[in-house]
């Protein structure tokens, strides 16, 4: 049952996390020097990203227990919001928007959140389908 659509969404969360860690999310210009920023250089964001990725990877294999999988994906959605908050806080507190220019990797946290929500809704619709089939028996 790993071929269900929610498993694809959760796998996309893992792919987006890996891309978020390795793709530069922006650059900072300080005193005529352009420095490229990646998550690998920021330890708290790397740890938070790894936790979100591991939780998504674990939840893929909980397809036998839909209720637990829904709760874990909901928790992962909350963790992805925390990841977005940490990302924005780090930018505002340490870099500042006047020196920062956005890169391709800055959009990945939003994709991570969206894929988590899509996975949650797919699991919920699967659960509703199974419950309706149980009523017919």
């Amino acid at each position: 049952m790993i071929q269900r659509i929610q498993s694809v969404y959760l796998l996309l969360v893992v792919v987006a996390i890996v891309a978020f860690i390795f793709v530069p999310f922006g650059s900072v210009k300080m005193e005529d020097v352009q420095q490229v920023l990646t998550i690998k250089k920021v330890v708290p964001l790397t740890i938070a990203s790894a936790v979100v990725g591991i939780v998504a990877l674990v939840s893929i294999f909980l397809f036998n227990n839909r209720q637990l999988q829904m709760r874990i994906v909901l928790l992962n959605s909350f963790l992805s919001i925390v990841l977005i908050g940490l990302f924005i806080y780090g930018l505002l507190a340490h870099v500042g928007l006047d020196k920062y220019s956005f890169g391709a990797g800055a959009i990945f946290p939003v994709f991570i959140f969206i894929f988590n929500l899509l996975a949650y809704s797919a699991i919920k619709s699967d659960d509703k389908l199974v419950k309706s089939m149980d009523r017919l028996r």
Side-chain angles (χ1 to χ4, degrees):
M1 295 298 278
I2 295 178
Q3 70 270 16
R4 296 182 334 193
I5 189 68
Q6 57 264 30
S7 299
V8 173
Y9 290 141
L10 292 170
L11 190 63
L12 285 172
V13 169
V14 174
V15 168
I17 286 290
V18 170
F20 182 57
I21 291 174
F22 292 107
V23 173
F25 64 88
S27 60
V28 176
K29 186 171 185 176
M30 290 187 200
E31 302 162 5
D32 299 330
V33 176
Q34 191 90 3
Q35 183 179 6
V36 177
L37 299 174
T38 59
I39 295 299
K40 293 186 296 186
K41 297 177 184 175
V42 185
V43 176
L45 281 177
T46 305
I47 293 171
S49 299
V51 167
V52 171
I54 290 169
V55 169
L57 194 61
V58 166
S59 63
I60 289 173
F61 298 104
L62 293 175
F63 57 86
N64 288 333
N65 191 347
R66 283 178 307 281
Q67 295 296 324
L68 180 62
Q69 190 179 29
M70 276 196 316
R71 281 184 269 165
I72 288 180
V73 169
L74 198 60
L75 171 73
N76 205 19
S77 298
F78 175 73
L79 290 175
S80 64
I81 290 173
V82 169
L83 178 67
I84 292 171
L86 282 174
F87 179 69
I88 292 172
Y89 172 75
L91 283 180
L92 294 177
H94 300 293
V95 176
L97 289 179
D98 54 339
K99 301 174 194 170
Y100 177 74
S101 62
F102 285 94
I107 195 72
F108 285 120
V110 176
F111 286 141
I112 293 164
F113 179 66
I114 290 171
F115 289 142
N116 272 317
L117 289 181
L118 287 172
Y120 180 77
S121 67
I123 297 167
K124 193 170 185 175
S125 68
D126 261 7
D127 196 41
K128 284 173 119 176
L129 180 66
V130 168
K131 285 181 182 178
S132 72
M133 290 297 150
D134 285 344
R135 280 192 293 252
L136 290 175
R137 281 194 243 170

